[in-house]
Amino acid sequence: MFFAHSRVWYRSEKEEEDFVFAKLRIPPNLPTTILFARRPSPGKGEGCFATHNIPRGLPILVEPALFSVTAPSDEAKVRQALGRLPQHQRDEFRQLSGPPPTQNPTDLQIFQTNSIGNDPTGNRVVREGIFPQASRFNHSCVPNAYFAWENGATSVTIYALDEISSGQEIFVSYIPWSGTWTWTRRRGELNHWGFVCDCRICQADRARSEERRGAMRRLQTKIDGITNRHDKKYLHFKSLIEYYDQEGLTYPQPAETQGLAARCALTISAQGGMDAASWAKKALIHAQQELDLDIVANGQNSPVMRRSKASARDMRKAQR
């Protein structure tokens, strides 16, 4: 059996994956050294800083959950899960911070301040877990790293979304599906953790960011209202992708939008006509960009990556 990546064909999935990782410049092996250290972060207490140059797509941290519960969390679920842990792990959990300015937080307050939610579609958190190391990474609305739940929602891996230089702070987003949210909405959601974000788009570039995000929401409304004019819908998807790039956002919504653009272009191609081949080519380009982003943010073995790989193969078949 042969597999294709764009217009190149390979004898096996392994050969194809090796090509993808080489193209994205992702090292083929997991790092054998610790890539970050906790240090004081101005205005944030402590943060996690790169101790080496970290290539895009490299796993920075792989951590099993101390424990997790189905969402939404409540006192009974947390108490039951803690009761199954040995004493030293309960002590480790209770060393985590509660919501400021609480001095003696309850177990539920500690959990809700530090838990990481598994929200695979941006619509609903399905599970929440405690990861003592991962919870130490600070938030940015334009992060350079991404939390990915793995192994049946029993562990998380933090992947580098961009190249991170040694000495640079590593940021994740606590609200990863907030790509079109207003500053007011983001600030309200982040009040849960008791801080005000001071990232670029929340401070120095806030006015331009608000303009871009307003335009993105208007585009989304137009897309939702289009039923038959797939050519117009496709152009709106292209504009959304450009706005995400201007915002400095790379995942997860930009990847989702690449996939939607791919399927839209494939629908147009399937209608036939003189431009059918051109639309099929556009579909493949967007599907491949979605796959590349999914690999960078989720690694080579994730269900997310396997779905986008299957989608890219469907687009290739349309070109034959």
Side-chain angles (χ1 to χ4, degrees):
M1 183 177 292
F2 288 78
F3 300 88
H5 188 97
S6 294
R7 302 299 293 178
V8 185
W9 290 83
Y10 300 93
R11 293 181 181 274
S12 68
E13 288 190 69
K14 177 65 167 61
E15 189 175 341
E16 182 189 17
E17 288 174 3
D18 289 345
F19 169 80
V20 174
F21 270 61
K23 183 189 73 166
L24 296 174
R25 299 181 181 178
I26 299 173
N29 299 311
L30 291 173
T32 57
T33 57
I34 297 174
L35 299 176
F36 67 93
R38 288 170 56 193
R39 299 174 187 164
S41 178
K44 300 180 180 68
E46 286 192 334
C48 297
F49 291 78
T51 53
H52 299 74
N53 292 331
I54 302 175
R56 179 179 182 233
L58 192 70
I60 298 169
L61 171 70
V62 181
E63 184 179 17
L66 191 65
F67 69 92
S68 65
V69 303
T70 56
S73 59
D74 59 35
E75 186 175 357
K77 291 177 184 177
V78 172
R79 182 173 61 250
Q80 185 178 40
L82 279 172
R84 291 193 290 264
L85 297 180
Q87 185 61 50
H88 73 278
Q89 289 186 327
R90 290 199 293 270
D91 292 341
E92 182 180 11
F93 167 75
R94 289 176 178 136
Q95 289 173 4
L96 298 172
S97 301
T102 308
Q103 296 298 318
N104 297 297
T106 65
D107 288 340
L108 180 60
Q109 287 175 320
I110 295 173
F111 182 87
Q112 292 180 336
T113 301
N114 295 277
S115 63
I116 297 172
N118 182 13
D119 183 3
T121 63
N123 296 318
R124 184 171 66 91
V125 173
V126 296
R127 196 160 192 88
E128 301 170 82
I130 290 294
F131 303 87
Q133 291 191 72
S135 67
R136 306 289 187 180
F137 287 76
N138 286 324
H139 164 86
S140 171
C141 298
V142 279
N144 53 15
Y146 180 75
F147 286 126
W149 280 70
E150 297 186 333
N151 301 319
T154 61
S155 67
V156 294
T157 301
I158 296 179
Y159 290 93
L161 291 177
D162 303 301
E163 292 187 5
I164 302 173
S165 301
S166 180
Q168 185 178 355
E169 185 166 3
I170 303 166
F171 291 102
V172 296
S173 175
Y174 296 175
I175 44 175
W177 289 93
S178 61
T180 62
W181 291 9
T182 64
W183 173 78
T184 301
R185 183 178 177 186
R186 296 198 310 276
R187 183 175 183 179
E189 189 71 20
L190 292 170
N191 279 339
H192 170 78
W193 289 278
F195 68 88
V196 175
C197 183
D198 63 354
C199 74
R200 170 179 57 80
I201 63 170
C202 285
Q203 299 296 330
D205 197 32
R206 188 198 305 173
R208 281 175 295 199
S209 173
E210 290 290 277
E211 289 177 6
R212 287 190 291 264
R213 289 179 182 235
M216 291 160 76
R217 290 191 298 276
R218 290 190 291 274
L219 279 171
Q220 190 61 62
T221 299
K222 290 179 181 178
I223 289 169
D224 293 341
I226 295 174
T227 55
N228 297 318
R229 290 294 305 277
H230 295 288
D231 53 341
K232 290 185 67 176
K233 183 179 286 192
Y234 173 80
L235 292 175
H236 291 331
F237 282 134
K238 287 266 291 180
S239 296
L240 264 181
I241 291 167
E242 292 172 4
Y243 278 122
Y244 280 128
D245 186 58
Q246 292 171 21
E247 278 288 272
L249 298 173
T250 55
Y251 203 82
Q253 283 167 303
E256 178 188 55
T257 307
Q258 292 283 3
L260 292 170
R263 289 185 282 279
C264 187
L266 186 64
T267 298
I268 298 171
S269 174
Q271 293 171 351
M274 294 180 61
D275 294 333
S278 175
W279 282 108
K281 183 177 180 180
K282 291 176 182 178
L284 176 56
I285 290 171
H286 288 293
Q288 193 57 61
Q289 289 172 335
E290 178 190 27
L291 175 58
D292 290 350
L293 291 171
D294 283 338
I295 289 174
V296 165
N298 294 275
Q300 61 177 318
N301 296 314
S302 71
V304 173
M305 185 280 293
R306 288 194 291 271
R307 284 195 298 271
S308 57
K309 180 186 284 188
S311 176
R313 289 200 177 128
D314 289 340
M315 306 301 165
R316 294 184 198 116
K317 290 176 184 177
Q319 285 202 301
R320 295 186 190 179

